[in-house]
C-alpha cells in the first residue's frame, strides 16, 4: 500500500460542489489521492464529528502595508490572521506600503520582507499610477497579478489616481500584453459635488459618497474596456445601483469581473451608530436594501468573488477626531473574520457553505490564475482548512491576530470556527515567532 506524508479523514469533505466522506492522501505538499477507503499515512488527521474539510480561502484583496507603514499591519501579523481565519493565500495590494509597488525595485523590496515573515502564501498586485504609465510591462513580466488604479484620490500621496485620459492609456497599455486592471471605481467629480463637513452622523458620510460616485466611475471603466479590449476588474463593489450596467457589459462580452466584500454583505447603514468610525470604508457600507441586492447578485452570478479588502490602520487613526467620519481613516480590518462573517450571514439566508467557499476559494483562485489552489482535487496544493461550521465564537478585537485591535465585528457572534489550517499539507503555527511557512507567488504567464 502506498504511504502518504499525511492522510486527512473526514465524513464531510468538500470536493467540487459536493460533500462526501473521503480520505485525502498528501505527499510533498500536494493532494496525491482521494479515496473512500483507508489510506496509509506517516501522519493521520481524523476530523471530529462537527468538523468539515474545505479548501483554504484565497483572498485577492489584502493591504499588508509593509514596509513603510508596518505599524498599521505587516506580513507577520497579517498572515497569522489569515491562517487563523482559514485563509491560505493572500494577494497584497500595492498601497499603503512605502514604497508603493509601482516599480520592479519596489516589488523586490516587498518580496524580500514578505519572504522572511509570511505564514501563508503571498502574491502581489502592482500599481498603475500617473508616473509609471508606459512601464507596466516590466512589472507584469516580474510576476505581479495585475495593476490597481484609483479613479479618485487614494488617501495617500505616494499613490496617485488616474484621470480619464490616463485611465484610457492604462487600459490600452495593459491590453497589449493581456494584463488586468483592477479599479477602485469612485468618480472624483461626483465626490467633490457631494462633499460635506463630516461629523459623527454616519448617514452624512454615506451622502458624501453616493451611489453615483460608483456608477459614474464604473460606466467610465466599461466604456474604456469596450474601446480597448482590455480586461478589468471592479474592486469592492458597494453600490447595487451599478449592477445593471455591469450585467449589460458582461452580456455584451466585455471582459469585466466584479468583487464585493464581507462588510457590504453583513453590515448595513442602519446598524452603524454616531461616531462608530470602525465601520468607515470607501466606498461606504450602504443600506439594508442595497445589501439584499448584493446578495442576490452573488447568487445570480453577477458578482464573481468575495474578498476582504483587509485595510487596517492604527487605532489612533481609526478613532481620531472624536468619531468624525470625515476625518477618521477609512478601511475595514477583516482578514481573520471574513469567512466566518460571510458564512454567518449566508446561513441566515439559507445559502449553503459550499456556495460561500465557491465565492471565497475556488472562484478567487480562478480569478488569480492559481489553478492548483482553492479546490480539493488530485494534483491540487494541499492548502486545506478544518472548519467547525456550526460552532460559534464572539469576536474580541483585542484577541485577533491583526496588529491593531480594531474590528467592525467586535462583540459580534459569528458562526464557523477554524480548528486547523494546513499549508502544503503542514499545520500552520500562528504563534508569534514561528518560522515562516508561506511561499511567494508570481502570476502564471503563458
Amino acid at each position: 500500500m502506498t504511504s502518504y506524508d499525511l492522510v486527512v479523514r473526514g465524513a464531510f469533505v468538500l470536493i467540487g460542489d459536493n460533500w462526501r466522506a473521503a480520505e485525502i492522501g498528501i505527499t510533498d505538499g500536494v493532494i496525491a489521492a482521494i479515496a473512500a477507503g483507508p489510506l496509509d499515512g506517516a501522519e493521520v488527521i481524523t476530523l471530529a464529528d462537527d468538523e468539515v474539510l474545505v479548501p483554504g480561502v484565497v483572498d485577492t484583496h489584502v493591504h499588508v502595508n509593509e514596509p513603510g507603514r508596518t505599524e498599521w499591519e505587516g506580513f507577520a501579523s497579517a498572515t497569522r490572521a489569515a491562517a487563523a481565519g482559514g485563509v491560505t493565500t493572500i494577494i497584497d495590494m500595492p498601497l499603503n506600503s512605502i514604497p508603493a509597488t509601482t516599480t520592479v525595485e519596489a516589488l523586490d523590496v516587498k518580496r524580500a520582507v514578505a519572504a522572511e515573515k509570511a505564514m501563508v502564501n503571498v502574491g502581489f498586485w502592482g500599481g498603475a499610477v500617473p508616473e509609471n504609465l508606459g512601464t507596466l510591462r516590466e512589472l507584469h513580466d516580474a510576476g505581479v497579478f495585475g495593476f490597481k488604479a484609483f479613479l479618485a484620490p487614494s488617501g495617500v500621496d505616494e499613490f496617485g489616481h488616474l484621470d480619464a485620459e490616463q485611465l484610457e492609456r492604462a487600459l490600452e497599455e495593459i491590453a497589449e500584453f493581456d494584463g488586468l486592471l483592477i479599479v477602485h471605481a469612485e468618480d472624483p467629480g461626483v465626490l467633490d459635488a457631494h462633499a460635506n463637513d463630516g461629523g459623527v452622523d454616519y448617514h452624512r458620510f454615506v451622502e458624501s459618497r453616493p451611489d453615483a460616485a460608483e456608477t459614474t466611475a464604473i460606466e467610465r471603466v466599461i466604456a474604456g474596456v469596450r474601446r480597448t479590449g482590455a480586461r478589468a476588474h471592479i474592486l469592492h463593489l458597494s453600490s447595487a445601483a451599478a449592477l445593471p450596467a455591469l450585467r449589460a457589459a458582461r452580456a455584451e462580452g466585455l471582459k469585466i469581473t466584479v468583487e464585493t466584500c464581507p462588510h457590504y454583505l453583513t453590515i448595513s447603514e442602519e446598524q452603524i451608530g454616531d461616531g462608530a468610525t470602525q465601520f468607515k470604508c470607501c466606498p461606504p457600507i450602504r443600506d439594508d436594501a442595497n445589501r439584499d441586492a448584493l446578495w442576490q447578485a452573488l447568487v445570480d452570478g453577477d458578482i464573481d468573488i468575495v474578498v476582504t479588502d483587509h485595510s487596517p490602520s492604527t487605532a489612533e487613526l481609526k478613532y481620531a477626531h472624536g468619531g468624525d467620519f470625515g476625518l477618521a481613516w477609512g478601511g475595514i480590518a477583516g482578514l481573520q473574520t471574513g469567512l466566518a462573517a460571510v458564512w454567518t450571514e449566508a446561513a441566515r439566508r439559507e445559502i449553503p457553505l459550499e456556495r460561500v467557499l465557491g465565492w471565497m476559494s475556488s472562484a478567487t483562485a480562478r480569478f488569480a490564475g492559481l489553478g492548483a489552489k482553492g479546490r480539493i482535487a488530485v494534483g491540487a496544493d494541499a492548502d486545506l482548512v478544518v472548519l467547525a461550521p456550526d460552532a460559534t465564537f464572539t469576536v474580541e478585537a483585542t484577541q485577533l491576530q491583526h496588529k491593531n485591535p480594531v474590528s467592525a465585528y467586535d462583540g459580534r457572534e459569528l458562526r464557523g470556527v477554524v480548528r486547523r489550517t494546513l499549508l502544503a499539507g503542514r499545520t500552520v503555527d500562528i504563534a508569534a515567532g514561528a518560522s515562516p511557512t508561506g511561499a511567494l507567488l508570481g502570476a502564471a504567464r503563458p
Side-chain angles (χ1 to χ4, degrees):
M1 177 182 291
T2 300
S3 182
Y4 301 93
D5 298 338
L6 171 68
V7 170
V8 184
R9 297 172 176 160
F12 294 94
V13 178
L14 184 58
I15 301 173
D17 295 326
N18 300 304
W19 299 98
R20 53 184 267 202
E23 301 198 3
I24 309 299
I26 299 164
T27 296
D28 295 331
V30 175
I31 297 173
I34 299 175
L39 298 177
D40 180 61
E43 179 186 359
V44 175
I45 296 172
T46 301
L47 271 57
D49 291 344
D50 67 338
E51 295 175 343
V52 300
L53 188 68
V54 300
V57 169
V58 176
D59 192 341
T60 59
H61 194 152
V62 177
H63 293 265
V64 177
N65 307 335
E66 187 174 16
R69 289 191 175 94
T70 311
E71 70 274 15
W72 293 15
E73 190 61 275
F75 284 101
S77 55
T79 56
R80 287 199 307 270
V87 179
T88 52
T89 297
I90 65 171
I91 304 184
D92 174 62
M93 284 291 164
L95 75 162
N96 300 304
S97 58
I98 302 173
T101 317
T102 56
T103 67
V104 173
E105 292 76 17
L107 174 63
D108 289 342
V109 169
K110 189 171 281 194
R111 279 177 165 159
V113 174
E116 297 177 348
K117 301 179 180 180
M119 304 306 298
V120 301
N121 301 314
V122 179
F124 304 91
W125 295 105
V129 296
E131 295 80 9
N132 74 345
L133 297 183
T135 66
L136 299 180
R137 182 64 185 255
E138 297 172 14
L139 270 169
H140 174 82
D141 291 346
V144 299
F145 283 77
F147 302 89
K148 181 173 187 176
F150 278 74
L151 303 189
S154 71
V156 292
D157 293 339
E158 67 275 1
F159 200 95
H161 68 284
L162 303 183
D163 63 22
E165 186 271 333
Q166 290 163 341
L167 171 64
E168 195 79 7
R169 285 172 54 197
L171 287 167
E172 289 174 352
E173 181 178 354
I174 288 169
E176 291 177 358
F177 51 82
D178 193 31
L180 175 66
L181 186 70
I182 63 175
V183 185
H184 181 125
E186 289 185 287
D187 182 80
V190 175
L191 295 179
D192 288 345
H194 290 80
N196 57 39
D197 58 358
V200 300
D201 184 343
Y202 181 72
H203 183 65
R204 280 184 58 74
F205 172 64
V206 176
E207 288 180 330
S208 74
R209 305 187 92 94
D211 295 278
E214 285 187 83
T215 58
T216 301
I218 288 170
E219 286 165 1
R220 182 174 298 126
V221 174
I222 291 170
V225 168
R226 182 180 293 116
R227 285 191 295 268
T228 64
R231 294 188 296 132
H233 175 75
I234 303 301
L235 297 166
H236 46 50
L237 181 72
S238 88
S239 174
L243 287 166
L246 287 165
R247 191 180 299 116
R250 286 148 65 102
E252 183 183 334
L254 301 184
K255 294 177 284 188
I256 298 177
T257 50
V258 188
E259 70 182 38
T260 194
C261 305
H263 39 280
Y264 301 130
L265 296 169
T266 64
I267 305 168
S268 63
E269 178 182 347
E270 293 88 343
Q271 299 168 348
I272 300 175
D274 288 353
T277 50
Q278 67 269 33
F279 295 102
K280 179 183 177 180
C281 56
C282 300
I285 295 167
R286 304 189 188 275
D287 63 27
D288 199 56
N290 182 84
R291 179 173 62 152
D292 288 343
L294 293 177
W295 273 105
Q296 190 61 53
L298 268 172
V299 170
D300 292 343
D302 294 323
I303 296 175
D304 301 281
I305 58 177
V306 178
V307 294
T308 63
D309 187 12
H310 176 71
S311 187
S313 72
T314 63
E316 289 77 13
L317 284 171
K318 196 66 177 163
Y319 295 122
H321 309 289
D324 189 322
F325 282 97
L327 298 174
W329 181 261
I332 303 292
L335 186 53
Q336 185 171 337
T337 53
L339 173 60
V342 176
W343 165 229
T344 299
E345 182 64 18
R348 189 181 75 81
R349 294 169 181 265
E350 299 184 341
I351 296 171
L353 179 59
E354 59 267 27
R355 294 296 306 272
V356 173
L357 272 299
W359 297 321
M360 301 185 77
S361 295
S362 58
T364 46
R366 286 194 302 272
F367 165 67
L370 296 172
K373 301 193 180 299
R375 60 196 180 99
I376 299 177
V378 173
D381 294 338
D383 297 345
L384 306 169
V385 173
V386 177
L387 179 72
D390 296 323
T392 62
F393 67 100
T394 300
V395 177
E396 296 181 49
T398 59
Q399 300 303 307
L400 296 173
Q401 295 293 328
H402 305 158
K403 178 163 286 188
N404 289 284
V406 180
S407 173
Y409 298 99
D410 193 26
R412 282 200 176 203
E413 184 178 81
L414 298 181
R415 181 175 182 174
V417 173
V418 173
R419 298 260 174 86
R420 185 192 297 255
T421 297
L422 299 165
L423 194 73
R426 296 179 179 272
T427 299
V428 179
D429 181 358
I430 63 171
S435 298
T437 51
L440 301 189
L441 304 177
R445 302 293 183 227

